[in-house]
Amino acid sequence: MAKEKESKEPKKNSQHVIYVEIDDEITSIFDRIKKLPRNAEAKKILLVVPRRAILLQSVVNLRILKKKLESKENPPRLVIVTNDKSGILLATQAGIEVIEKIQSTPALKTLKTKSDSSHQSLLSATANRTETLRPTRLPEKKVPLGSFLKRGDGGTVDRVTSTFKKWLRNRQKKNQSLPQIVIVAPNKQALVTFVIATVLVFLIIAYVALPGATIYLTPESNRVEQSINVIFADFTKNRDALGEGNAQMITSYPIIPPPTKKTIIYHSTGKESRGNNAQGTITVINESPRERQLIAKTRFQTDEGIVFRITQDITIPALSGINPGKVEVNAVADPFDVNGMIVGERGNIGPTRFFIPGLQNEENRKTLYGQNYQPVTGGTTEVTKTVRAEDLEAARKQAELEIIDQAKIDLRAFLERQNQERNTGLILIPDSRAVTVGTPRITIPTNLESAPQESFEVLAEVTIIGVAYNPDELVKILERELRMRQSPDKRIVGVEATSVTYKIVEINEDTGRIKVTGTIRGIEEFEIRPEKESGTRLIKKIKDHIVGKSINEATLFIQNLAEIDHVEIKSWPFWAPNIPAIPDHIKVVITGPGI
């Protein structure tokens, strides 16, 4: 009897599982443990804790919780189930056992509370026992059905057969005495009315009992940017450091193409006029009240910039009454105009007014000027190009610039050929500080100055060294950092690999390391998927607030949530103006680029 009584008493569970929310405080967790029924106390309590939970943020919290449990009369053994690396470290420091997942056990039971409703209960396969009823073999010998029916020993089969035949004869006689039933075609109007009424009844039932709504939610998203320092390490000088697997170090490779050579053609700018200069008579006019004197070679210039010089000294009389003083003098055109262009045939001009550029005062220019009344003729054009000293210096500078530009082109082409041959995808660091250019060697023929030739050749040569790296490695490092820094209630749904930029912070040629600050952009959106904890809470919040409300009110409420960028609600039947009053009739669909 004592044994029977003992077997009827409730047995204690060997362990108990409690799911902890990310924002649960230590007091609420301990309250949930205290609320366990006395007959459900466990020898071991497993706390399933998500990453970044408040409980795992402080070793003090963990020690307090452990101390509270140890103060109980029959203290259970506390085990934390988590994959939070920092949380594992803190729990270990607090002296609490930590495991990464729950192992299947025969007596595992989960306490379901309001905060654990989003988790699936853990039930042991042996917790639900069923009894199996198996058929038993009869001791009598089996008799074939055919032989049993053929038996005519007046047994049960004979009596059943006789009774059935008698009932069948009576049934046939009764049917013969009944009147014949005639089926008449129904009235068409009545049939239509019946169909319409049936449809209306069905629609009313559907409207009352089967309304539904589908809510399409697009989570709020925004662009985020993340920067991190990365080191490009020359593999020839940093083999050991690269072998250690530094998470922020990328292998770089020196690219050394053959020396670049180029021949540059430079066109001479010197000009020697071998044609004839135009000449003619210019009348010098003086409209001032005093006599004026001009020396030989005094310039007279046209508005087009052609300059003529008088061939002798002259004295121009002063104004006499209304008659200005005049002197005629011979003038010859300069080989070049004020712009350095050869005059030649352009010096053959018709009657033109000349001003004296040597007179700075504008009033003097108005009262003393020249005028030719007959055309100036005799100018011919014949030009010979010559090499000037300035051409030699300009050719040297041009050659230096062009050979460096060509060397950079050759560097990129050389790397492209190497990528094709080795099936690699390296690219150059574009910063000029990561490119080493040697001193250009310029060769110019001697004795060219004043030589009568239109152009000459300049030979240039230079060496160049670049630094290349694998861009996928840089993107991988920056993307990892971007995802690690995402907000707890958000997720990265896209990474813009083409947005990667970086700038050089420091170059150490001795160690072969280049320190850069890399930046990458991505798209971050609120995590509202139903299978996630934050999404479950948000969807429950939405359903609790909109049940039974009009579609317009529900749309306005959802649209004002910080987590939502766009909302669209479709109801069934389509004319239903309100959200169903039953939360289970509300379906939520998440849309957007991250889905």
Side-chain angles (χ1 to χ4, degrees):
M1 294 295 290
K3 290 183 178 180
E4 292 181 0
K5 185 176 179 180
E6 181 180 354
S7 62
K8 292 181 180 179
E9 291 181 354
K11 296 181 179 179
K12 294 183 179 180
N13 297 318
S14 62
Q15 62 184 14
H16 192 84
V17 179
I18 295 179
Y19 287 94
V20 178
E21 299 292 338
I22 193 171
D23 54 354
D24 278 353
E25 300 287 346
I26 183 174
T27 54
S28 64
I29 297 172
F30 187 70
D31 289 342
R32 289 166 62 184
I33 295 175
K34 288 197 303 182
K35 289 179 182 179
L36 292 174
R38 292 186 177 275
N39 59 354
E41 292 184 353
K43 297 180 180 178
K44 181 168 65 175
I45 293 179
L46 280 72
L47 293 183
V48 180
V49 187
R51 293 169 59 187
R52 297 191 293 274
I54 293 178
L55 179 62
L56 300 179
Q57 300 299 315
S58 171
V59 70
V60 177
N61 289 345
L62 297 168
R63 287 174 176 170
I64 292 174
L65 179 60
K66 181 183 177 185
K67 186 175 181 180
K68 281 180 173 290
L69 290 177
E70 290 176 347
S71 65
K72 298 184 67 174
E73 182 176 353
N74 294 315
R77 182 160 59 94
L78 178 62
V79 178
I80 290 180
V81 182
T82 185
N83 58 2
D84 189 319
K85 294 184 178 179
S86 61
I88 293 173
L89 179 61
L90 294 178
T92 305
Q93 293 177 359
I96 300 174
E97 181 181 349
V98 183
I99 61 176
E100 292 191 3
K101 63 180 180 179
I102 303 175
Q103 304 294 333
S104 299
T105 55
L108 185 62
K109 183 179 180 182
T110 302
L111 175 64
K112 297 196 72 174
T113 65
K114 184 176 180 180
S115 60
D116 294 333
S117 60
S118 63
H119 299 283
Q120 182 181 3
S121 299
L122 300 176
L123 299 178
S124 172
T126 61
N128 301 325
R129 298 181 178 177
T130 60
E131 294 182 2
T132 304
L133 298 178
R134 297 186 177 182
T136 58
R137 184 181 298 274
L138 296 175
E140 292 83 356
K141 183 180 180 180
K142 295 181 180 179
V143 179
L145 180 60
S147 61
F148 179 77
L149 295 176
K150 291 179 181 179
R151 290 169 57 182
D153 54 1
T156 304
V157 175
D158 291 340
R159 290 195 297 272
V160 171
T161 303
S162 175
T163 303
F164 176 73
K165 291 180 178 180
K166 183 177 180 181
W167 175 85
L168 186 58
R169 287 195 298 270
N170 293 336
R171 184 69 177 175
Q172 290 175 348
K173 291 179 180 179
K174 186 176 180 180
N175 288 341
Q176 291 175 358
S177 62
L178 292 176
Q180 297 295 324
I181 299 175
V182 179
I183 299 177
V184 181
N187 183 276
K188 184 177 181 181
Q189 183 177 0
L191 181 60
V192 172
T193 303
F194 174 76
V195 172
I196 294 175
T198 303
V199 172
L200 290 176
V201 171
F202 173 75
L203 293 177
I204 293 173
I205 295 174
Y207 178 76
V208 174
L210 301 174
T214 302
I215 303 175
Y216 297 90
L217 300 178
T218 301
E220 180 69 28
S221 62
N222 61 287
R223 292 182 181 273
V224 292
E225 191 174 89
Q226 184 61 48
S227 299
I228 184 176
N229 288 334
V230 180
I231 296 176
F232 293 115
D234 189 331
F235 85 104
T236 60
K237 298 181 180 180
N238 298 272
R239 294 181 184 273
D240 295 338
L242 291 169
E244 295 174 358
N246 191 321
Q248 295 179 344
M249 185 175 288
I250 297 175
T251 305
S252 64
Y253 307 88
I255 307 300
I256 309 174
T260 298
K261 298 180 180 180
K262 186 176 182 180
T263 299
I264 299 171
I265 305 298
Y266 189 86
H267 296 278
S268 304
T269 61
K271 297 178 182 179
E272 182 177 343
S273 177
R274 297 180 180 274
N276 297 321
N277 299 322
Q279 57 181 329
T281 301
I282 294 179
T283 300
V284 182
I285 301 172
N286 182 12
E287 296 181 353
S288 66
R290 62 187 182 88
E291 183 180 87
R292 306 296 293 269
Q293 294 182 346
L294 297 176
I295 62 174
K297 304 296 183 180
T298 298
R299 294 173 298 162
F300 285 78
Q301 182 177 327
T302 67
D303 293 336
E304 290 76 20
I306 299 176
V307 176
F308 286 80
R309 297 178 185 269
I310 60 177
T311 58
Q312 62 188 51
D313 298 339
I314 58 174
T315 301
I316 306 96
L319 176 68
S320 176
I322 60 172
N323 297 317
K326 297 182 179 180
V327 173
E328 290 185 352
V329 62
N330 189 46
V332 179
D334 280 357
F336 302 94
D337 61 14
V338 294
N339 298 315
M341 303 296 292
I342 292 178
V343 175
E345 294 179 355
R346 293 192 301 124
N348 300 329
I349 59 176
T352 303
R353 178 167 175 162
F354 300 84
F355 66 90
I356 302 175
L359 298 176
Q360 302 298 324
N361 188 294
E362 187 66 26
E363 185 63 28
N364 291 336
R365 287 188 179 186
K366 290 181 180 180
T367 59
L368 185 63
Y369 56 92
Q371 176 73 50
N372 67 313
Y373 297 102
Q374 297 296 327
V376 178
T377 59
T380 59
T381 301
E382 185 179 346
V383 181
T384 300
K385 289 288 189 72
T386 59
V387 179
R388 301 188 304 163
E390 292 85 349
D391 292 340
L392 300 176
E393 183 61 27
R396 181 180 297 278
K397 292 180 179 180
Q398 180 179 336
E400 290 178 353
L401 295 175
E402 290 191 16
I403 193 61
I404 292 175
D405 291 341
Q406 185 61 46
K408 294 178 180 179
I409 295 174
D410 292 348
L411 177 64
R412 290 191 292 270
F414 179 76
L415 177 59
E416 185 176 349
R417 289 194 300 272
Q418 281 196 332
N419 283 333
Q420 292 176 353
E421 294 172 358
R422 303 174 182 178
N423 194 24
T424 55
L426 303 179
I427 64 173
L428 292 167
I429 297 178
D431 196 298
S432 59
R433 289 174 291 176
V435 179
T436 303
V437 181
T439 302
R441 296 177 292 279
I442 310 300
T443 303
I444 301 177
T446 58
N447 302 324
L448 283 180
E449 186 174 350
S450 300
Q453 59 187 69
E454 293 188 358
S455 62
F456 56 93
E457 292 183 353
V458 179
L459 178 63
E461 181 179 350
V462 73
T463 57
I464 189 170
I465 301 174
V467 179
Y469 69 99
N470 188 339
D472 294 339
E473 294 183 17
L474 179 60
V475 172
K476 184 178 180 181
I477 291 176
L478 295 176
E479 181 178 352
R480 182 178 64 243
E481 189 70 18
L482 180 66
R483 294 188 183 278
M484 289 178 59
R485 302 291 179 87
Q486 68 182 6
S487 302
D489 55 346
K490 295 182 179 181
R491 63 172 181 146
I492 300 296
V493 297
V495 177
E496 300 175 357
T498 57
S499 70
V500 173
T501 58
Y502 58 87
K503 60 180 180 180
I504 293 179
V505 178
E506 179 184 356
I507 297 179
N508 191 325
E509 295 182 357
D510 295 333
T511 61
R513 297 186 180 186
I514 301 175
K515 183 178 181 181
V516 303
T517 299
T519 303
I520 192 171
R521 290 195 301 269
I523 300 176
E524 184 182 59
E525 72 175 20
F526 279 94
E527 180 59 274
I528 65 173
R529 291 179 294 173
E531 61 269 23
K532 298 299 182 178
E533 183 179 353
S534 58
T536 301
R537 291 198 304 266
L538 177 65
I539 292 174
K540 184 178 184 302
K541 174 183 176 181
I542 291 174
K543 288 185 177 182
D544 291 344
H545 280 79
I546 68 173
V547 288
K549 293 187 178 181
S550 68
I551 292 180
N552 291 336
E553 289 178 317
T555 302
L556 183 61
F557 170 77
I558 299 173
Q559 191 66 65
N560 288 332
L561 295 175
E563 298 91 341
I564 304 302
D565 176 62
H566 178 72
V567 58
E568 181 181 0
I569 300 177
K570 294 182 180 180
S571 62
W572 189 92
F574 64 88
W575 62 80
N578 295 332
I579 300 294
I582 303 175
D584 290 342
H585 290 184
I586 303 174
K587 181 181 179 182
V588 177
V589 177
I590 309 302
T591 63
I595 305 303

